[in-house]
Amino acid sequence: MIDLNKIPPSRQREGTFPYMVQQPPRPLYPEERPVTARENYLMVLRGELPYWMPVWLTDTQYCWPDVMQEHSLWESDGLDWWGQQWVWEPTSHGLMPKPGSKVITDMAHWREQVRIPDFAEVDWESDAALQTARYDPDRCHLFHCATGVFERLHELMGMSDAMLAMYEEPEAVHEFNEMMVDYKKRLLGNIFKYYDPIDYIIYGDDWGTQRSGFFSNEMYREFLMPYTKRIWDYVHSCGKYVELHSCGLTQQYIEEMIEMGLDAWTPQPINDLDKLTAKYGDKLSLTVNVPGLAGASNEAEVRSCIRSFVDDYAPRGHRVVANGLTALRDPKLLRTAYEELYYASSEYYAKVRAGKEK
């Protein structure tokens, strides 16, 4: 077990997403458990019966390389690896492509306009020495593979033009996506080599709005699915797992996700989590917020929320991951939530395990 007080401090700008995920991981309550949080989380990803219901981004730990330039370095105004200009947007508290700035102005000639990263001058080794010094060996380590195939396209040319390109220049879009597969495999190869051990990746590619997905399922199958699947196949070939981050009401693609071999998905709560867990809980891991927990004001209410959550969701399969516990700002109530989730879910899974052993 690593001393959380001795983890190297983040060099990222305070308050940015990289800064937050490079902080020491939250304590695990209770501390004494039959297996490590890492072993238990891997059971869930493999579809095996776990010892308890894990907590998203608590039983796990981020690896966020400082040398990454999917955005500009240090989350500051500037260019990324691809030549796209980024600026800080204070309302959303993050970087956005600079308005009016486009790398691709003509999809038919994207190869002459896009600067494809080659990583020749990236100092992975020295950065990895710092990042891996933060690892708690008792937790799963994940790499956030941000900016998927579609996100990169619309970041380079704008959302409207990217959507139109699928109709007007489909061959060029397919060629761009082929390039992205090669790029992602080269990127992930370096991450898996230098930042080992990485247990799984969070693959980020936003596919929807609050009302529906961006694409018809037919368009999704043509332009997104084959390329995304090849990236995920590469991750699996390296012995790692894939979790999807995709903002929006994207549940219409769930059958495609499963067909591509997705291991885990953290859907936004605007998706029908009751339906998803009931129908697909045995096919992939799903992260679910604990209903009502944010409004709990005392220990009794916290325990009641947690118990109801476990009673409702644990029987739907053993691939449910809990989320939203950190909505509790009171440290005592947060600790209560962690402990109650651990004990309540442990009791349930122990009964299931005992039944199987008879």
Side-chain angles (χ1 to χ4, degrees):
M1 179 180 293
I2 193 170
D3 185 343
L4 300 182
N5 294 316
K6 293 183 179 179
I7 287 180
S10 174
R11 300 180 295 180
Q12 295 281 349
R13 182 164 52 155
E14 187 172 354
T16 62
F17 184 75
Y19 175 87
M20 290 187 287
V21 299
Q22 289 179 350
Q23 298 308 301
R26 301 179 186 95
L28 294 172
Y29 301 115
E31 295 182 4
E32 297 298 323
R33 305 187 180 204
V35 298
T36 65
R38 177 179 182 271
E39 292 172 286
N40 189 72
Y41 209 95
L42 290 175
M43 289 177 176
V44 172
L45 292 177
R46 290 194 296 260
E48 301 170 0
L49 184 68
Y51 286 90
W52 68 88
M53 187 181 290
V55 182
W56 191 60
L57 302 189
T58 293
D59 293 31
T60 62
Q61 185 181 15
Y62 253 86
C63 168
W64 190 282
D66 287 338
V67 293
M68 284 287 297
Q69 292 185 59
E70 294 282 21
H71 295 166
S72 47
L73 278 175
W74 311 113
E75 299 294 290
S76 300
D77 294 3
L79 297 174
D80 64 15
W81 273 328
W82 302 84
Q84 174 62 46
Q85 183 77 31
W86 292 81
V87 293
W88 182 258
E89 207 292 301
T91 303
S92 59
H93 206 63
L95 287 178
M96 302 291 287
K98 184 178 180 179
S101 171
K102 294 184 179 181
V103 173
I104 300 176
T105 58
D106 183 346
M107 191 68 213
H109 299 284
W110 71 268
R111 286 192 179 276
E112 296 94 77
Q113 298 175 338
V114 173
R115 184 175 69 194
I116 301 174
D118 64 9
F119 308 137
E121 298 181 2
V122 178
D123 187 1
W124 301 109
E125 194 164 356
S126 62
D127 182 68
L130 171 64
Q131 306 305 334
T132 55
R134 297 190 173 103
Y135 286 3
D136 178 355
D138 289 344
R139 311 194 198 211
C140 268
H141 302 122
L142 68 97
F143 168 69
H144 195 132
C145 187
T147 313
V149 172
F150 179 66
E151 279 192 12
R152 179 53 63 188
L153 180 62
H154 74 69
E155 286 171 355
L156 292 172
M157 66 186 309
M159 178 67 76
S160 297
D161 287 348
M163 299 294 285
L164 286 171
M166 295 181 180
Y167 292 96
E168 297 176 343
E169 297 288 349
E171 290 186 8
V173 173
H174 282 296
E175 291 172 0
F176 178 89
N177 292 349
E178 287 280 359
M179 176 276 297
M180 280 296 297
V181 173
D182 175 69
Y183 161 74
K184 287 295 187 183
K185 289 167 67 174
R186 289 188 292 111
L187 170 65
L188 289 165
N190 281 290
I191 296 297
F192 296 157
K193 174 182 178 181
Y194 291 103
Y195 296 86
D196 185 67
I198 297 291
D199 296 298
Y200 72 99
I201 71 165
I202 293 181
Y203 181 86
D205 204 4
D206 293 342
W207 293 331
T209 68
Q210 289 184 315
R211 298 174 60 184
S212 69
F214 289 138
F215 329 94
S216 68
N217 287 66
E218 291 76 16
M219 285 190 69
Y220 181 91
R221 283 184 171 273
E222 178 180 353
F223 288 101
L224 275 298
M225 186 174 174
Y227 306 103
T228 303
K229 183 181 187 305
R230 284 164 54 193
I231 296 169
W232 294 358
D233 285 348
Y234 174 76
V235 176
H236 290 143
S237 75
C238 296
K240 323 294 183 183
Y241 299 92
V242 179
E243 175 185 318
L244 175 65
H245 166 87
S246 186
C247 289
L249 185 60
T250 54
Q251 62 191 18
Q252 72 187 71
Y253 308 125
I254 183 78
E255 298 285 351
E256 285 84 359
M257 296 175 193
I258 293 170
E259 189 176 331
M260 287 189 284
L262 184 62
D263 303 296
W265 180 29
T266 303
Q268 286 190 296
I270 57 175
N271 293 272
D272 190 340
L273 300 181
D274 280 339
K275 177 182 177 180
L276 291 171
T277 51
K279 188 173 182 180
Y280 302 104
D282 61 339
K283 294 181 173 61
L284 79 169
S285 302
L286 291 160
T287 303
V288 182
N289 283 15
V290 179
L293 187 62
S297 59
N298 56 58
E299 287 192 13
E301 291 178 357
V302 169
R303 294 185 190 281
S304 177
C305 284
I306 294 292
R307 287 279 170 175
S308 295
F309 175 73
V310 172
D311 290 345
D312 192 3
Y313 281 94
R316 300 177 186 223
H318 38 267
R319 304 195 70 171
V320 174
V321 180
N323 190 23
L325 274 63
T326 55
L328 295 168
R329 300 301 182 185
D330 185 328
K332 292 183 179 179
L333 294 184
L334 180 59
R335 177 167 181 157
T336 297
Y338 283 143
E339 291 179 340
E340 192 67 21
L341 179 68
Y342 173 79
Y343 288 120
S345 60
S346 293
E347 290 170 10
Y348 175 81
Y349 293 134
K351 291 178 182 177
V352 175
R353 186 172 284 104
K356 288 185 175 182
E357 293 174 354
K358 289 181 180 179

